[in-house]
Amino acid sequence: MKEITLVMRTPEDVLQAQGVSAADIEGMLDELQEHVESIDMANDLHSIGGLVPLLGYLKNSNAGIRAKAAEVVTTIVQNNPRSQQLVMETSGLEPILANFTSDPDVTVRTKALGAISSLIRNNKSGIAAFRLANGYAGLRDALSLGSVRFQRKALNLIQYLLRENSSDCSVVTELGFPKLMVHLASSDDSDVREAALGGLLELARDNTSGNSSVLAEEDRLRQVLQSRIEGISSMSSDDLGAAREERQLVDSLWSACYNEPSSLREMGLAVLPGEEAPQQPPDVAGKFFEPPLRAWAAKHATKGTSPAGERKKDSPLLLGPGPAGGSSNSQDMNRSSGGERMGS
């Protein structure tokens, strides 16, 4: 990481004179991203002088470098309060927001949004700074673009922010979010549909600003929900299983807006909040009807038993280098399981 930091701190014209290309820089950032997967290494980047030049790459003239830099920042701050604080203290939110709201490259904007999501998640000062910087206006613009991935990330962040701060429901209503989300609730992309329905449900559940009555007056919302009910009712059993989340959202949103259960309940297709997915029955016959290859492998494995009848334990298969130290291993596991990879 020290060598990478040295390169990042070298002026761009010097690197170009030495034959270093934009593709080389992107490859170097790929390597840096692997290092900062470790939460300790991520926190060390600032102490060795690498965080500030990394943030400087967010302003690079090459779109690929800007996008990759945002990806690395996402990895550094994800579920990492210490690095979130360091990025905020070094004014890292400003260039990320600038790329999110105004970069001409949609990939750069999408990666910047992923970095913002990871930076302000569980970070009250980050959320406050995002609000002050008019971040909601950027999210509204993101919903208007045609990029499904960009829309999905924006909707997920909106839903998170509304859950964390119900007072923001009035802000997004004034900015015209409901109509945009109603439109996206009929998207061909199932993830976009679910995220839009989830955001609308957060608005409908907010009793302080009367959003449920506002949404109920939206004729388009009733049409969209009715259309989704018809689509769900015609699904195969496999598709119904995959649409559990959407079925719950449609029924809950209908009930919140119109004070009555949706017709999904009459058809037995509604999923109630807290209702668990049906469990698969135990495989009681599998061991008697094993595939031939599996049965052969099991028989073949027993040939190497020791005279005492005990099988020799195989060495564990290690994929990639082991952790640098035992103390950070559980921390990194918690970090990676703490939430969705926002920058992906």
Side-chain angles (χ1 to χ4, degrees):
M1 287 210 309
K2 290 180 178 179
E3 293 173 349
I4 293 174
T5 295
L6 180 61
V7 175
M8 291 194 298
R9 296 173 68 175
T10 303
E12 187 176 357
D13 56 344
V14 174
L15 293 177
Q16 289 177 349
Q18 296 177 356
V20 178
S21 66
D24 294 329
I25 299 296
E26 290 185 52
M28 179 191 71
L29 292 175
D30 272 326
E31 182 180 345
L32 177 61
Q33 187 171 11
E34 293 179 5
H35 290 304
V36 297
E37 288 281 355
S38 161
I39 196 168
D40 289 334
M41 298 281 271
N43 292 337
D44 286 343
L45 183 64
H46 180 63
S47 63
I48 64 175
L51 181 58
V52 172
L54 171 64
L55 296 173
Y57 273 145
L58 294 167
K59 303 176 184 179
N60 193 275
S61 59
N62 183 277
I65 293 177
R66 295 196 302 275
K68 193 63 198 179
E71 269 194 84
V72 179
V73 172
T74 301
T75 302
I76 290 172
V77 300
Q78 184 174 18
N79 302 319
N80 185 350
R82 175 59 180 156
S83 281
Q84 287 177 340
Q85 179 184 0
L86 291 171
V87 171
M88 295 297 296
E89 290 176 351
T90 52
S91 302
L93 180 60
E94 286 82 352
I96 302 174
L97 270 171
N99 286 2
F100 161 55
T101 58
S102 58
D103 198 281
D105 188 288
V106 68
T107 300
V108 175
R109 296 183 71 175
T110 305
K111 298 294 184 182
L113 177 54
I116 291 171
S117 299
S118 291
L119 178 59
I120 69 175
R121 188 171 291 268
N122 301 316
N123 177 2
K124 292 183 178 180
S125 63
I127 292 176
F130 178 79
R131 281 203 214 98
L132 288 174
N134 206 18
Y136 274 116
L139 290 173
R140 179 190 58 195
D141 295 341
L143 299 185
S144 303
L145 293 181
S147 170
V148 169
R149 191 177 182 191
F150 199 30
Q151 291 171 342
R152 185 167 60 241
K153 284 181 176 290
L155 287 165
N156 286 332
L157 180 55
I158 292 166
Q159 190 172 353
Y160 168 76
L161 291 172
L162 295 181
R163 283 176 181 170
E164 292 294 305
N165 308 277
S166 59
S167 60
D168 286 359
C169 289
S170 59
V171 176
V172 300
T173 300
E174 292 174 4
L175 289 173
F177 277 74
K179 285 189 177 182
L180 292 170
M181 289 193 286
V182 168
H183 172 71
L184 293 176
S186 59
S187 170
D188 292 334
D189 184 89
S190 60
D191 291 332
V192 170
R193 282 200 311 271
E194 290 180 6
L197 290 168
L200 289 167
L201 183 57
E202 293 297 328
L203 291 177
R205 285 174 172 170
D206 175 44
N207 297 322
T208 60
S209 54
N211 280 310
S212 59
S213 59
V214 172
L215 290 174
E217 293 172 1
E218 286 277 352
D219 292 337
R220 176 60 180 158
L221 175 60
R222 183 183 286 270
Q223 295 172 7
V224 168
L225 291 178
Q226 190 60 50
S227 175
R228 292 314 309 148
I229 290 172
E230 293 172 1
I232 290 169
S233 65
S234 63
M235 287 181 177
S236 65
S237 57
D238 289 340
D239 290 339
L240 284 172
R244 279 184 58 83
E245 180 72 14
E246 183 177 5
R247 288 156 55 197
Q248 178 180 326
L249 289 168
V250 168
D251 180 68
S252 298
L253 184 55
W254 185 283
S255 299
C257 289
Y258 308 116
N259 297 314
E260 63 179 17
S262 74
S263 55
L264 286 176
R265 298 198 191 188
E266 298 176 6
M267 294 182 280
L269 298 177
V271 177
L272 302 180
E275 182 180 335
E276 296 182 358
Q279 299 295 321
Q280 293 294 329
D283 181 13
V284 296
K287 62 182 180 180
F288 297 106
F289 300 98
E290 289 182 316
L293 183 60
R294 187 192 303 169
W296 174 86
K299 186 182 297 182
H300 182 73
T302 60
K303 293 181 180 179
T305 55
S306 63
E310 296 179 355
R311 291 184 60 186
K312 182 179 178 181
K313 292 184 178 180
D314 295 330
S315 299
L317 179 62
L318 300 178
L319 300 178
S327 62
S328 65
N329 189 37
S330 62
Q331 200 174 15
D332 292 337
M333 290 176 66
N334 291 335
R335 181 189 186 199
S336 62
S337 63
E340 177 193 356
R341 294 286 307 172
M342 303 306 297
S344 63

